[in-house]
Amino acid sequence: MSRNDEVARRLEEFADLLAAKGVEYKPRAYRQAAENVRDYPGAIEGLADEGPDGVQRIDKVGDAIASKIVEYLDTGEMAELEELREEYPIDIEAITGVEGVGPKTAGTLYEALDIRDLDDLEAAAEAGEIREVSGFGEKTEQNILAGIDFARQSHERELLGEARPYGESVVGTLSAVPAVEEAELAGSLRRWRRTIGDVDVLVGSDDPGTVIDAFTDWEEADGVIEAGESKASVRASGVRVDLRVVDPAEFGAALQYFTGSKEHNLAVRNRAIDRDLKMNEYGIFDVSEVADDSDQRAGERVGGETEASMYEPLDLEWMPPELRENRGEIEAAAEGTLPDLVEPGDLEGDLHTHTEWSDGELTIADHVAAAAEFGHDYVAITDHATGPGMVGGLGLDDGELRTQLSEIREVADDADIEVFAGVEANISAEGEISVADDLLADLDLVVASPHAALDGDGTDRLVAAAEHPSVDVIGHPTGRYLNRRRGLELDVERLATVAAENETALEVNANPSRLDLSGEAVKVAVEAGATVAVDTDAHSAADFSLQRYGLHTARRGWAEPDDVLNAWDVEAVRAFLG
Ligand code: DGT
Ligand code: CA
Ligand code: CA
Ligand code: ZN
């Protein structure tokens, strides 16, 4: 986390705690300052070198706030914030994550009922205590109760796309330490799960002390939670990072164990028990001759240096981490029928992207150049059409789309890569497409996405869209935003069957806030014969690199290169688009 983000977070907490206390106006000033600090393009510590006057060059940062920022950068604390935290010892970020509960309400509930966290809030709501507080009623209490589970999920689990860069950074740092023989991510991050409880890192080394020191000195760590002889945990930008250092001879066993999932490990371990083998984080052991197996390393060791050596004695092929969810991978590994998963290098293009014509950043020419620079052979320009869900004049009407189409053709003539002229049309609640049929027919590629009425069952409307002769891709099918909005419920199998019949692809939107379809849904879709498209929905040059999150999500859905439209070459894609 940049220091700008760090400062902004503290100012936001300041604002919330002031509001909890019932202070007026000031919270707003702190919040505006926080926003501008976060958006300030330079490093705030550079400004702070000149003292409070330097920091005040940021808009809406007055002298009081500027002094607190400088104080924080100098000492690591804001004394007044610490006082407020003592006065209101509440997890304000978690509590205000419940829909309808603002900081002021959180303050009132603390004063009246000593509610400090989500557990307290839930208990009080269940006991009917909240409705007794003045200003609250039974309805409010029910709403709070209904919102707690969702808030809990959002609060506790970090998005894959936020946690992964920290994980990679720490593995990079540790790999550079000479005492480190091997360093790898483990846990849900290695399995590319869409949300992450904590980051697990595993190192093989004969000198754990040196590794632990390097880890606790990692420059992105905000603080050390605990540090022992072979284990340590730090916090980086609100994410907990757990390190374990193991004997290099046992690295494979530990990697297998700590990659999980728990469900996968349980099923594999049962298979071991059936064969008189015992497996744990130290290895896999033949215990048929062992009477007392309280010693974890008892018996004859038959594997453990590499991960594959943990599976071999069980007659199992090595399984890519994305598959390890006990969803049939163990049976497939036993039968030798594991999928040949799509690989990062297989993707040749991106079929859902935005330019400045709607809400993207770049001109068409610059956007195409950025796609080529990223390494793509083709890119589709799919700016938003106007229609349901497009607020504030965001989308293009049919006339504007026609004008854009001719400009796309001009850019395409001079481009080094293939450019598909497209649109992202909206699917109405009734399943209609928000662009005229003759225009749709003139475009190379039509992405149709739901952007409004994103609750309830969406299968019928998406089926109708998939049957439209010009629609090529259903964009972010459920419309979910992880931790924020559940999106549509779908009968994926029915949708995928119709999509397969109509040569319509289903998107795996790679944006880490979406990852829509999910891995589970991809598995159902490809089994039903549908093709998926792993697209970034890029709005800037940097966004092209988000594709890997979609790719690994598709791998979690057992997708092979044939199942993925943009793993095909340009002629094959053109044929699919018809
Ligand atoms: P997370 O952190 O909630 O996103 O999910 P994981 O899968 O990273 O889980 P975590 O961090 O609690 O533990 C890392 C791995 O360690 C987990 O995937 C499997 C292994 N593990 C942890 N606890 C147990 C356990 O009680 N039994 C077994 N078989 N494996 C465990
Ligand atoms: Ca974990
Ligand atoms: Ca962990
Ligand atoms: Zn889009």
Side-chain angles (χ1 to χ4, degrees):
M1 167 157 65
S2 75
R3 308 235 64 192
N4 297 41
D5 286 333
E6 242 174 75
V7 169
R9 271 202 185 190
R10 264 122 196 128
L11 295 177
E12 274 159 2
E13 189 184 349
F14 216 122
D16 281 350
L17 291 174
L18 286 171
K21 202 175 165 173
V23 176
E24 295 196 57
Y25 310 116
K26 251 173 131 179
R28 197 177 139 76
Y30 275 81
R31 221 163 268 134
Q32 284 180 334
E35 204 168 299
N36 292 343
V37 167
R38 182 169 279 124
D39 291 345
Y40 182 72
I44 189 143
E45 54 273 33
L47 293 179
D49 285 344
E50 301 161 40
D53 286 350
V55 180
Q56 278 196 64
R57 268 191 262 143
I58 298 179
D59 195 28
K60 306 274 186 196
V61 174
D63 49 2
I65 295 179
S67 316
K68 292 194 177 71
I69 294 175
V70 172
E71 179 197 355
Y72 174 73
L73 292 171
D74 285 346
T75 69
E77 274 189 7
M78 297 180 189
E80 259 186 74
L81 175 60
E82 297 304 320
E83 281 165 26
L84 278 169
R85 282 173 172 175
E86 263 174 50
E87 203 175 336
Y88 288 88
I90 57 183
D91 188 347
I92 191 120
E93 200 189 326
I95 293 175
T96 56
V98 178
E99 205 174 311
V101 181
K104 196 152 183 226
T105 305
T108 309
L109 290 174
Y110 170 69
E111 282 156 15
L113 300 169
D114 198 31
I115 289 173
R116 296 166 187 240
D117 57 26
L118 287 176
D119 289 342
D120 294 344
L121 186 65
E122 186 171 38
E126 276 172 352
E129 289 168 5
I130 291 178
R131 70 181 73 169
E132 306 297 334
V133 179
S134 124
F136 295 79
E138 205 175 324
K139 183 98 181 79
T140 315
E141 188 176 77
Q142 279 166 3
N143 287 341
I144 288 175
L145 205 49
I148 284 178
D149 276 345
F150 202 56
R152 202 172 257 144
Q153 282 174 14
S154 333
H155 187 62
E156 285 176 356
R157 300 190 65 84
E158 205 78 16
L159 299 186
L160 169 68
E162 284 165 8
R164 185 90 199 176
Y166 287 104
E168 289 172 355
S169 159
V170 75
V171 166
T173 299
L174 293 173
S175 300
V177 175
V180 170
E181 291 191 16
E182 291 178 90
E184 290 237 31
L185 291 172
S188 50
L189 206 50
R190 183 166 181 240
R191 305 196 312 277
W192 296 82
R193 205 181 144 178
R194 60 181 174 257
T195 60
I196 301 294
D198 64 9
V199 173
D200 298 286
V201 184
L202 199 66
V203 160
S205 170
D206 292 322
D207 181 4
T210 305
V211 182
I212 300 284
D213 287 346
F215 178 63
T216 52
D217 286 347
W218 174 43
E219 59 179 10
E220 286 173 78
D222 297 331
V224 177
I225 300 167
E226 56 196 340
E229 279 171 21
S230 62
K231 295 203 302 197
S233 301
V234 300
R235 199 164 285 289
S237 186
V239 192
R240 181 190 170 103
V241 184
D242 285 347
L243 169 72
R244 288 181 192 78
V245 188
V246 303
D247 182 338
E250 295 176 343
F251 186 80
L255 186 59
Q256 194 285 324
Y257 181 86
F258 290 111
T259 296
S261 65
K262 288 187 182 109
E263 294 73 18
H264 171 90
N265 285 355
L266 185 65
V268 175
R269 204 162 51 232
N270 283 335
R271 193 176 166 95
I273 292 167
D274 288 345
R275 293 160 189 243
D276 263 342
L277 296 169
K278 171 169 157 174
M279 66 189 297
N280 56 33
E281 58 187 285
Y282 310 107
I284 179 162
F285 303 88
D286 181 341
V287 287
S288 52
E289 313 274 300
V290 178
D292 166 26
D293 67 351
S294 59
D295 176 2
Q296 295 269 52
R297 293 179 175 91
E300 186 200 345
R301 193 169 105 136
V302 294
E305 185 151 357
T306 66
E307 219 180 25
S309 75
M310 293 294 290
Y311 289 115
E312 243 166 45
L314 304 172
D315 298 312
L316 294 174
E317 287 180 45
W318 179 87
M319 289 155 266
E322 293 95 325
L323 299 184
R324 300 187 199 170
E325 301 289 350
N326 196 24
R327 288 204 293 259
E329 74 278 10
I330 296 164
E331 295 75 5
E335 290 162 14
T337 55
L338 283 170
D340 252 320
L341 296 182
V342 60
E343 303 272 346
D346 292 340
L347 297 185
E348 304 197 0
D350 199 330
L351 299 173
H352 176 176
T353 72
H354 297 266
T355 73
E356 64 173 13
W357 280 72
S358 60
D359 53 350
E361 281 179 9
L362 300 176
T363 63
I364 296 169
D366 287 347
H367 186 81
V368 169
E373 169 77 25
F374 182 74
H376 283 321
D377 292 348
Y378 50 86
V379 65
I381 310 284
T382 58
D383 277 304
H384 286 290
T386 185
M390 291 299 113
V391 289
L394 174 61
L396 306 175
D397 64 28
D398 288 7
E400 291 164 327
L401 283 169
R402 286 260 176 223
T403 311
Q404 191 198 23
L405 174 58
S406 40
E407 189 170 322
I408 295 174
R409 296 279 184 237
E410 270 175 43
V411 171
D413 281 344
D414 295 331
D416 297 331
I417 61 173
E418 184 79 14
V419 180
F420 295 113
V423 67
E424 181 177 10
N426 310 290
I427 305 171
S428 76
E430 290 74 39
E432 289 150 353
I433 308 299
S434 68
V435 176
D437 283 346
D438 62 331
L439 174 52
L440 292 177
D442 287 346
L443 294 166
D444 302 325
L445 178 145
V446 175
V447 177
S449 314
H451 287 119
L454 295 172
D455 44 29
D457 191 293
T459 312
D460 286 343
R461 66 195 275 210
L462 296 198
V463 161
E467 284 172 337
H468 189 291
S470 293
V471 170
D472 302 296
V473 178
I474 303 291
H476 47 72
T478 73
R480 77 175 178 188
Y481 266 111
L482 293 170
N483 289 347
R484 281 192 278 152
R485 181 170 80 203
R486 277 189 188 86
L488 298 168
E489 284 157 42
L490 292 181
D491 177 344
V492 178
E493 190 176 350
R494 178 156 82 90
L495 173 63
T497 305
V498 173
E501 282 163 7
N502 288 273
E503 286 214 327
T504 303
L506 302 179
E507 184 173 81
V508 180
N509 191 294
N511 187 304
S513 300
R514 295 190 183 270
L515 298 179
D516 178 16
L517 298 174
S518 67
E520 293 91 325
V522 169
K523 188 160 190 276
V524 175
V526 300
E527 274 168 13
T531 301
V532 298
V534 176
D535 294 330
T536 61
D537 203 345
H539 285 69
S540 68
D543 284 354
F544 285 110
S545 62
L546 299 176
Q547 199 167 44
R548 63 189 189 130
Y549 297 113
L551 186 273
H552 289 279
T553 299
R555 286 168 60 89
R556 286 176 62 81
W558 297 46
E560 303 191 331
D562 276 357
D563 301 319
V564 181
L565 179 57
N566 52 321
W568 305 355
D569 64 23
V570 76
E571 286 75 31
V573 172
R574 198 176 275 293
F576 181 91
L577 299 175

